[in-house]
């Protein structure tokens, strides 16, 4: 048996090379939570999540407190006889803490992601196994998307030119500002007709605005419309699917099993965005992918802005399971971060080519604690209480 001995939770602001803005938020740092798990045999692993109130309902302070006060103390002393037992526990949890640990009304899928990854990484090292016990690699045909998030014409033009020079064939454009159609025309002109172009409104449109904008943008060859209206407006999303016949993708509307079931029941989307940090970790994300595909939905595997190579390693492990995906976003590495805290740095290459999957126990990457602590703004340790 190997037992959970301690945790350290860290609030971390990894700085960006540039400001990233869309209609729901603007940020220049990651606003992350990292979790260090130490086993009683000395094995160490790390987890990571990026709580976003407009995505899962969790802010960083809330996720941090939920972990510190409700979840981590109950995990201290828990033991596992094998790596399979760790996976079985996480599969039973399905992206959330066991019943009774957290009040049902408290959102927690981002917080649980940090737990999921930390346990997989720590006990992967303890038992000498890699996550999901997969020796497969990401399909050579997988190509990562660029993401255009700019409010000024000059910045949008510059970024589009850089994407074209870098050979990206899939691009997502953030919309929800005045002049979206003109901006999309400019982007299409620069990128050319052969580039797969999608848009993400981040809930910025009303339903009437959405139907008009979607039809106009479709004439420019935009093939997918991510979260056009508010996350809880499933009837409006369902109407957009029927009225336009265009591909509506759910993102902020989709975090866990229940939200996916509601989307499927209402036929409120044709695609979903699976992001490990919002879906409760790697194990739950794989299950959500399978459920979405069984329902006939297209799947995008995405990321939260500011993920380090730790979460990118988890994403590569997910993709290595033979997933059929419409598009992939992530592995930005130092394309976005001024400093990555994990090695090897996992970032897409020319043309959006996927980096090689890391090899080794756990998630296969090493977290540099000195770098991590350089950007840490708060931390707490949770240990087993010693008898007095």
């Amino acid at each position: 048996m190997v037992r959970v001995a301690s945790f350290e939770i860290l609030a971390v602001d990894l700085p960006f090379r540039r400001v990233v803005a869309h209609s729901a938020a603007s940020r220049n740092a990651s606003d992350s939570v990292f979790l260090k798990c130490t086993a009683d045999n000395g094995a160490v692993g790390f987890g990571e999540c990026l709580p976003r109130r407009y995505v899962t309902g969790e802010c960083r302070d809330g996720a941090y407190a939920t972990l510190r006060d409700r979840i981590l103390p109950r995990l201290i002393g828990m033991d596992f006889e094998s790596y399979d037992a760790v996976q079985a526990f996480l599969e039973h949890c399905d992206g959330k803490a066991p019943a009774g640990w957290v009040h049902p009304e408290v959102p927690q899928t981002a917080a649980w992601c940090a737990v999921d990854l930390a346990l997989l990484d720590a006990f992967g090292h303890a038992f000498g196994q890699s996550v999901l016990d997969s020796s497969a690699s990401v399909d050579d045909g997988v190509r990562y998307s660029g993401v255009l998030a700019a409010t000024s014409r000059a910045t949008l033009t510059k970024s589009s030119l850089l994407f074209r020079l870098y050979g990206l064939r899939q691009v997502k454009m953030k919309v929800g500002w005045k002049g979206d159609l003109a901006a999309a025309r400019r982007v299409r002109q620069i990128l050319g007709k052969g580039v797969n172009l999608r848009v993400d409104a981040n809930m910025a449109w009303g339903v009437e605005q959405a139907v008009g904008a979607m039809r106009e943008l479709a004439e420019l060859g935009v093939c997918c419309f991510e979260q056009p209206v508010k996350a809880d407006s499933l009837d409006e999303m369902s109407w957009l699917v029927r009225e336009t016949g265009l591909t509506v993708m759910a993102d902020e509307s989709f975090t866990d099993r229940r939200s996916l079931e509601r989307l499927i029941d209402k036929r409120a989307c044709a695609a979903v965005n699976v992001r490990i940090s919002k879906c409760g970790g790697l194990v739950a994300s794989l299950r959500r992918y399978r459920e979405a595909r069984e329902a006939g939905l297209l799947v995008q595997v995405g990321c939260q802005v500011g993920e380090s190579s730790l979460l990118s390693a988890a994403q590569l492990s997910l993709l290595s399971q033979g997933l059929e995906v419409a598009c992939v976003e992530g592995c930005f590495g130092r394309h976005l971060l001024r400093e990555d805290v994990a090695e090897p740095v996992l970032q897409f290459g020319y043309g959006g080519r996927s980096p090689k999957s890391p090899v080794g126990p756990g998630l296969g990457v090493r977290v540099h604690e000195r770098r991590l602590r350089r950007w840490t703004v708060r931390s707490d340790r949770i240990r087993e209480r010693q008898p007095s």
Side-chain angles (χ1 to χ4, degrees):
M1 290 282 190
V2 180
R3 182 169 55 87
V4 177
S6 68
F7 288 102
E8 183 177 12
I9 181 172
L10 307 98
V12 179
D13 288 332
L14 300 179
F16 295 171
R17 291 178 174 272
R18 60 187 179 279
V19 173
V20 176
H22 55 72
S23 59
S26 176
R27 67 184 76 253
N28 60 8
S30 63
D31 204 26
S32 311
V33 173
F34 280 78
L35 184 61
K36 179 182 179 181
C37 175
T38 303
D40 64 349
N41 69 350
V44 173
F46 284 86
E48 175 187 5
C49 69
L50 296 90
R52 302 288 185 257
R53 189 182 294 278
Y54 57 89
V55 178
T56 65
E58 299 161 88
C59 63
R60 182 169 67 183
D61 286 348
Y64 188 105
T66 297
L67 287 166
R68 182 195 59 203
D69 302 334
R70 306 299 302 173
I71 295 176
L72 300 183
R74 293 173 181 259
L75 288 167
I76 295 293
M78 185 174 288
D79 54 29
F80 300 95
E81 62 182 2
S82 67
Y83 199 57
D84 287 344
V86 178
Q87 292 182 338
F89 169 70
L90 294 171
E91 287 169 0
H92 175 74
C93 292
D94 196 25
K96 295 182 179 180
W101 288 21
V102 178
H103 191 282
E105 298 301 317
V106 175
Q108 55 162 307
T109 51
W112 189 257
C113 171
V115 173
D116 173 276
L117 298 185
L119 291 179
L120 289 172
D121 197 34
F123 284 87
H125 283 88
F127 292 111
Q129 297 213 11
S130 62
V131 293
L132 298 179
D133 193 26
S134 173
S135 59
S137 59
V138 178
D139 190 316
D140 288 340
V142 169
R143 292 292 181 269
Y144 277 80
S145 296
V147 179
L148 290 169
T151 55
S152 74
R153 177 183 173 90
T155 303
L156 190 66
T157 298
K158 180 181 177 181
S159 297
S160 299
L161 287 169
L162 288 173
F163 284 4
R164 178 162 183 166
L165 290 171
Y166 205 60
L168 296 180
R169 306 302 295 168
Q170 295 194 39
V171 172
K172 182 168 83 176
M173 178 183 172
K174 297 286 189 176
V175 294
W177 296 291
K178 184 177 180 180
D180 282 340
L181 184 59
R185 286 197 186 100
R186 179 63 174 160
V187 168
R188 174 58 81 192
Q189 180 183 35
I190 295 170
L191 295 179
K193 295 181 179 179
V195 168
N196 177 300
L197 183 60
R198 315 184 304 282
V199 298
D200 182 3
N202 289 107
M203 307 177 288
W205 293 333
V207 66
E208 294 297 336
Q209 181 185 10
V211 71
M214 289 169 64
R215 286 170 172 163
E216 290 178 326
L217 290 166
E219 293 180 2
L220 297 176
V222 173
C223 62
C224 180
F225 301 85
E226 188 172 335
Q227 203 60 56
V229 295
K230 291 181 180 179
D232 58 356
S233 300
L234 300 193
D235 289 336
E236 292 183 352
M237 289 175 64
S238 180
W239 183 81
L240 286 172
V241 171
R242 297 193 307 271
E243 182 70 15
T244 68
L246 299 171
T247 301
V248 174
M249 177 181 291
D251 183 15
E252 287 88 350
S253 297
F254 161 56
T255 56
D256 57 10
R257 178 191 293 275
R258 288 184 60 193
S259 62
L260 179 60
E261 289 173 346
R262 289 193 293 267
L263 287 163
I264 293 170
D265 289 345
K266 287 186 171 290
R267 299 182 181 180
C269 63
V272 293
N273 187 7
V274 174
R275 297 193 266 175
I276 293 172
S277 182
K278 75 164 183 174
C279 290
L282 179 56
V283 172
S285 292
L286 180 58
R287 184 175 289 182
R288 298 292 87 76
Y289 162 82
R290 289 170 174 163
E291 292 165 352
R293 292 297 294 140
E294 286 172 3
L297 300 178
L298 299 173
V299 173
Q300 171 180 289
V301 173
C303 71
Q304 300 290 165
V305 175
E307 292 182 1
S308 80
S309 288
L310 182 67
L311 258 167
S312 294
Q315 187 193 68
L316 290 172
S317 178
L318 180 65
L319 291 170
S320 73
Q321 304 306 301
L323 276 57
E324 297 178 15
V325 295
C327 41
V328 183
E329 296 168 0
C331 284
F332 286 101
R334 296 193 71 251
H335 290 313
L336 177 61
L337 298 176
R338 278 171 47 194
E339 182 174 56
D340 203 325
V341 296
E343 283 190 351
V345 174
L346 302 173
Q347 63 187 43
F348 63 78
Y350 180 83
R353 289 179 175 83
S354 171
K356 291 183 179 180
S357 299
V359 177
L363 291 168
V365 295
R366 182 170 75 91
V367 172
H368 287 261
E369 290 197 53
R370 183 176 295 179
R371 294 182 194 169
L372 183 64
R373 294 181 193 284
R374 182 181 301 149
W375 306 111
T376 296
V377 297
R378 182 183 180 188
S379 65
D380 281 286
R381 295 180 186 273
I382 298 91
R383 296 187 178 94
E384 192 169 17
R385 291 183 178 179
Q386 300 297 321
S388 56

